Amino acid sequence: QVQLGESGGGLVQAGGSLRLSCAASGRTFSIYAMAWFRQAPGKEREFVATISYTGSRTDYADSVKGRFTISRDNAKNTGYLQMNSLQPEDTAVYYCAAGFLGRQLSDYYYWGQGTQVTVSS
């Protein structure tokens, strides 16, 4: 069993940066891929980025490629999402998830409660 908790969200101006963290409990975190998804009001939850359990493979949605960086520190049971050059369209609740490497919601077994990111223009 893995429990996930996100932090680091907040309000930022367009062009600014935020770093989200995802703290995991349980010794098995390191065997799972970790991903970030986001959900804007009135929209479906969408894939943002994922990283393999070793950290050797990453994948990004086209909308964030070159601006966001996903990483993890298995020794600390923590994953990260560095978000640069934020735009108002990045406003959403961001969720971290653990499971198997992929872009689909169904690829992930465990989910955090989400953290709000708001980007003002």
Side-chain angles (χ1 to χ4, degrees):
Q1 188 78 4
V2 177
Q3 293 184 329
L4 304 173
E6 304 92 337
S7 61
L11 174 64
V12 64
Q13 288 188 332
S17 298
L18 282 174
R19 188 194 196 201
L20 304 184
S21 297
C22 175
S25 64
R27 297 180 179 179
T28 58
F29 172 70
S30 62
I31 71 171
Y32 292 108
M34 191 202 74
W36 290 93
F37 287 76
R38 66 187 182 186
Q39 188 166 18
K43 295 188 177 181
E44 294 185 350
R45 193 171 299 190
E46 65 174 5
F47 168 76
V48 174
T50 188
I51 186 167
S52 62
Y53 71 98
T54 63
S56 62
R57 294 175 60 189
T58 58
D59 186 25
Y60 296 91
D62 288 345
S63 59
V64 306
K65 198 172 295 183
R67 300 188 298 124
F68 290 11
T69 302
I70 190 170
S71 62
R72 66 190 296 165
D73 185 339
N74 287 339
K76 296 182 178 179
N77 272 3
T78 303
Y80 305 96
L81 184 68
Q82 177 67 43
M83 305 186 295
N84 298 329
S85 301
L86 283 161
Q87 300 302 316
E89 53 265 35
D90 295 316
T91 295
V93 177
Y94 283 71
Y95 299 88
C96 68
F100 293 96
L101 198 67
R103 292 187 168 207
Q104 306 302 315
L105 295 171
S106 58
D107 291 326
Y108 298 91
Y109 299 141
Y110 306 105
W111 292 84
Q113 81 287 352
T115 186
Q116 177 70 47
V117 171
T118 303
V119 184
S120 63
S121 57

